[in-house]
Amino acid sequence: YEEKSHSGRLKYLQLFVNPKNLELQLAFVFCGAFLEEKEIAFVKRLYKSGMFHSIWANFSMKRTNSIFGDRWELLEGKEEFFQEICGVNFCFHPSSFAQAHLSLFEEIIQYIEGFTQENSSILDLYAGVGCIGGVLAKKASKVFLVEPSPLAESCFQKSILSEELRSEERRVGKECRSR
């Protein structure tokens, strides 16, 4: 893809790895509204290699500095991609923001957790998929997650159904709101 002329097909490539099980989520960002036959064949070959948990396409036609467009399509694999953070599994859509330095992020959450009082109320602004609030939920009486992305809220709802947050569903799941 060439930005100035707005020509070419592949604008961006994103790989998200779960370091615990080495699963890979691959996302292509295409300039266009559909996949061409040769791109479909390429994706099928990639997926058959066995290296990928899932392969996604995002379609972006706008000339902006935003990487992702509004339309996502799961091409191969499973929709739900989980990553363990501080012992809790969280679901990540390819559009979800994720920390690049996972071990440092876990240290920061544990540091915050040290300041969190038992039975406190927590407000997590721009919560994303709910990693911070979800981990802190075990000490809180209520957790409020505020996130503008409906895809992030959907991921959090899938996360609370995982075994790690099942006991917290009553306190956390009903409080998650998109705005």
Side-chain angles (χ1 to χ4, degrees):
Y1 176 75
E2 205 284 310
E3 190 73 36
K4 287 183 181 177
S5 67
H6 195 57
S7 62
R9 289 286 296 159
L10 185 61
K11 290 179 84 170
Y12 185 77
L13 177 80
Q14 173 181 274
L15 278 170
F16 189 12
V17 63
N18 181 332
K20 309 275 180 176
N21 61 16
L22 301 180
E23 288 184 326
L24 287 169
Q25 181 188 68
L26 172 61
F28 294 106
V29 179
F30 290 101
C31 179
F34 60 91
L35 289 177
E36 296 175 0
E37 288 299 319
K38 64 183 176 184
E39 294 161 344
I40 294 169
F42 177 68
V43 165
K44 289 187 181 306
R45 279 197 319 268
L46 278 178
Y47 189 70
K48 283 182 183 176
S49 74
M51 292 177 50
F52 298 98
H53 167 276
S54 56
I55 301 177
W56 291 79
N58 178 262
F59 302 94
S60 175
M61 290 295 296
K62 296 177 184 172
R63 294 176 118 174
T64 68
N65 66 349
S66 294
I67 294 172
F68 298 129
D70 294 331
R71 190 166 77 87
W72 286 93
E73 185 178 330
L74 176 61
L75 304 175
E76 294 285 346
K78 299 179 216 161
E79 185 174 339
E80 290 82 18
F81 183 81
F82 285 88
Q83 185 170 51
E84 183 183 315
I85 297 172
C86 293
V88 179
N89 279 322
F90 290 94
C91 183
F92 285 87
H93 185 272
S95 69
S96 300
F97 175 80
Q99 297 293 332
H101 196 309
L102 183 59
S103 61
L104 181 59
F105 182 55
E106 288 179 314
E107 284 181 37
I108 291 168
I109 292 175
Q110 290 165 351
Y111 182 76
I112 295 168
E113 189 175 23
F115 290 102
T116 305
Q117 296 176 5
E118 292 289 331
N119 297 316
S120 59
S121 293
I122 295 172
L123 174 62
D124 189 352
L125 299 174
Y126 296 96
V129 300
C131 298
I132 296 172
V135 171
L136 298 179
K138 59 187 166 215
K139 289 181 85 174
S141 61
K142 282 191 176 181
V143 175
F144 297 89
L145 304 172
V146 180
E147 172 56 48
S149 168
L151 288 172
E153 181 181 356
S154 173
C155 284
F156 181 75
Q157 295 299 332
K158 291 173 184 174
S159 297
I160 65 171
L161 296 176
S162 73
E163 192 60 39
E164 292 79 9
L165 290 177
R166 193 171 308 253
S167 63
E168 307 304 330
E169 182 175 357
R170 182 184 83 267
R171 290 190 273 168
V172 179
K174 306 274 188 239
E175 305 298 339
C176 187
R177 301 281 185 263
S178 286
R179 299 198 201 265

